[in-house]
């Protein structure tokens, strides 16, 4: 049985952040929790989300691989122990190329299902004052990804991500990234990604619409 290490579970309240001349509400400045916490169908009990980019049932929990931290170190300010990109869980061994849309995991008392890649937004770039950050995330494919919560329950520091099942379609998170960020995706790329029935209910209709244009 495959169990991936979760280095930390992070939460934050929404605050008004100012970077340069821009101010905006954000929950990017997440801190690790110390005790168990309830994970509902819309996320961790003490975590807030700005709904235009995050949150809801299809993006209830965000993962970012610690495996990618070394890629960013030196180019930007990386503090081990912090949520580099405001992720809820920082993990080891699981990443976009070995994880599929629809893969299911046990996490504490909860059950999770992978839904879609994280699509980097301007707030991350603004946080680090790195306008090119979004392009680097897209080109590298080091985006992280989201889960929906199939079964709610408590989670705590030290809980691992236990793989329960692989999705039969076998569409990796990276394949979805390649479709999303390709300037001229082929129809076969759309068809391949849309084979994943667990694809998020927010992203799937957008891809169907783009495919049919």
């Amino acid at each position: 049985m495959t169990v991936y290490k979760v280095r930390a579970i992070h939460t934050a309240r929404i605050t008004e952040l100012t970077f340069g001349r821009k101010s905006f509400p954000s929950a990017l400045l997440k801190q690790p929790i110390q005790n168990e916490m309830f994970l509902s169908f819309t996320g961790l009990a003490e975590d807030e989300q700005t709904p235009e980019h995050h949150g809801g049932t299809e993006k209830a929990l965000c993962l970012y691989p610690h495996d990618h931290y070394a890629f960013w170190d030196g180019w930007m300010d990386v503090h081990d122990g912090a949520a580099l990109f405001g992720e809820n869980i920082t993990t080891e061994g699981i990443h976009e190329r070995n994880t599929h849309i629809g893969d299911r995991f046990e996490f504490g008392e909860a059950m999770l299902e992978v839904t879609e890649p994280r699509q980097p937004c301007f707030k991350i770039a603004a946080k680090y004052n790195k306008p090119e950050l979004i392009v680097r995330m897209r080109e590298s494919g080091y985006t992280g990804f989201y889960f929906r919560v199939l079964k709610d329950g408590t989670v705590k520091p030290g809980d691992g991500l236990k793989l329960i099942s692989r999705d039969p379609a076998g569409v990796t998170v990276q394949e979805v990234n390649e479709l999303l960020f390709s300037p001229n995706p082929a129809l076969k790329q759309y068809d391949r990604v849309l084979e994943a029935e667990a694809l998020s209910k927010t992203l799937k209709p957008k891809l169907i619409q783009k495919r049919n244009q």
Side-chain angles (χ1 to χ4, degrees):
M1 181 178 296
T2 303
V3 181
Y4 298 102
K5 181 179 179 179
V6 177
R7 294 176 63 97
I9 304 170
H10 299 97
T11 63
R13 298 296 187 184
I14 293 174
T15 56
E16 192 74 14
L17 302 182
T18 300
F19 297 101
R21 297 181 178 179
K22 185 180 288 290
S23 294
F24 50 84
S26 175
L28 274 175
L29 303 182
K30 298 191 189 297
Q31 296 296 318
I33 68 172
Q34 304 300 323
N35 300 299
E36 74 175 18
M37 187 174 293
F38 188 71
L39 175 59
S40 75
F41 295 107
T42 55
L44 290 159
E46 295 181 13
D47 193 51
E48 293 184 339
Q49 304 288 350
T50 50
E52 72 270 23
H53 296 295
H54 312 289
T57 58
E58 300 302 281
K59 296 185 280 188
L61 198 73
C62 181
L63 175 154
Y64 197 80
H66 188 268
D67 310 57
H68 300 338
Y69 274 39
F71 174 81
W72 301 105
D73 195 16
W75 183 75
M76 57 187 282
D77 196 12
V78 174
H79 295 288
D80 206 13
L84 185 64
F85 294 120
E87 68 269 16
N88 295 119
I89 55 175
T90 309
T91 54
E92 292 182 4
I94 179 173
H95 50 76
E96 300 83 359
R97 290 164 175 79
N98 67 4
T99 307
H100 312 92
I101 303 299
D103 284 357
R104 295 183 175 187
F105 299 84
E106 284 183 0
F107 183 37
E109 295 178 347
M111 184 185 299
L112 312 177
E113 184 175 66
V114 179
T115 56
E116 65 170 277
R118 180 178 185 170
Q119 297 181 53
C121 68
F122 78 93
K123 293 181 181 181
I124 297 176
K127 175 184 176 181
Y128 291 104
N129 194 25
K130 294 280 191 180
E132 65 272 39
L133 177 58
I134 293 174
V135 173
R136 285 178 70 98
M137 289 188 81
R138 290 175 174 177
E139 289 179 347
S140 65
Y142 294 169
T143 59
F145 50 89
Y146 288 107
F147 296 95
R148 65 170 61 93
V149 177
L150 299 178
K151 176 179 175 289
D152 59 5
T154 59
V155 299
K156 64 184 185 302
D159 286 342
L161 273 181
K162 184 185 298 183
L163 179 65
I164 300 172
S165 64
R166 293 288 191 191
D167 189 80
V171 176
T172 66
V173 175
Q174 178 58 19
E175 286 182 82
V176 185
N177 273 333
E178 290 170 1
L179 172 61
L180 290 172
F181 305 139
S182 171
N184 296 294
L187 286 179
K188 64 179 181 181
Q189 285 181 275
Y190 284 103
D191 292 342
R192 168 66 180 151
V193 166
L194 290 169
E195 288 178 12
E197 294 185 5
L199 193 66
S200 85
K201 295 173 184 176
T202 50
L203 180 60
K204 191 170 188 174
K206 294 178 183 178
L207 293 181
I208 292 173
Q209 183 179 23
K210 287 184 69 174
R211 183 196 182 282
N212 295 335
Q213 285 177 349

